[in-house]
Amino acid sequence: MRLAEDFYLSWDLDVDSQLVTFLVLARTKGWVGVGITNTGGMDKADMAVGWLKDGEAYFHDRHGVGNNVPVIDDSQDYKLLALVENETHTEMKFRRPFRTCDPDDLDLT
C-alpha cells in the first residue's frame, strides 16, 4: 500500500502463528518509522523506529506520548528482520505478535 509518494507499507498475516510481518520502504536515509494508532495522531500510537548508523542497525518498539519524541517501550515486542538502505531508500522489515500484553502496544485485530 502506497501511503505517500515516497512511502510504501505492506504486511503479511500468519494467522496460525498470530504474527504480522511489516515491510516499510521509504525514500529516506538515516531512519524510518511507522506507527499504529486508533486516533491518527502520535499520542498513544504504537511505533516501530529503525535507523542505520555507520553500517549498524538500530531498532526500537516505541510509543507516543503527546507530540514528543516517542518513548522506548519497556517490553520490546517487535523483532527486526532486516534494515537496509541504498543511495535513495531505506527498507525495514519487522514482525510482532497480534497481541503482546504490553500496555504500550495496540492489539492487532
Side-chain angles (χ1 to χ4, degrees):
M1 169 184 294
R2 180 164 281 176
L3 298 176
E5 182 177 340
D6 294 328
F7 191 93
Y8 175 83
L9 172 69
S10 67
W11 57 91
D12 182 50
L13 304 176
D14 183 337
V15 177
D16 293 334
S17 299
Q18 296 287 291
L19 294 169
V20 59
T21 301
F22 293 94
L23 175 65
V24 177
L25 177 62
R27 181 181 294 275
T28 185
K29 289 189 71 170
W31 69 273
V32 66
V34 65
I36 303 165
T37 176
N38 291 326
T39 64
M42 283 186 60
D43 191 40
K44 298 185 178 88
D46 182 7
M47 301 177 199
V49 178
W51 66 96
L52 290 159
K53 182 177 179 183
D54 299 325
E56 187 170 345
Y58 297 87
F59 180 78
H60 293 137
D61 176 0
R62 295 177 176 245
H63 64 279
V65 179
N67 286 326
N68 300 301
V69 173
V71 176
I72 298 173
D73 287 10
D74 290 333
S75 178
Q76 292 292 294
D77 302 297
Y78 287 75
K79 180 181 179 185
L80 181 65
L81 302 175
L83 184 58
V84 296
E85 68 181 3
N86 60 28
E87 295 300 317
T88 60
H89 287 78
T90 300
E91 180 179 302
M92 181 170 72
K93 185 175 185 180
F94 60 95
R95 174 182 297 149
R96 66 154 280 191
F98 291 178
R99 290 189 169 89
T100 67
C101 300
D102 179 347
D104 294 318
D105 291 343
L106 294 175
D107 288 345
L108 303 176
T109 57

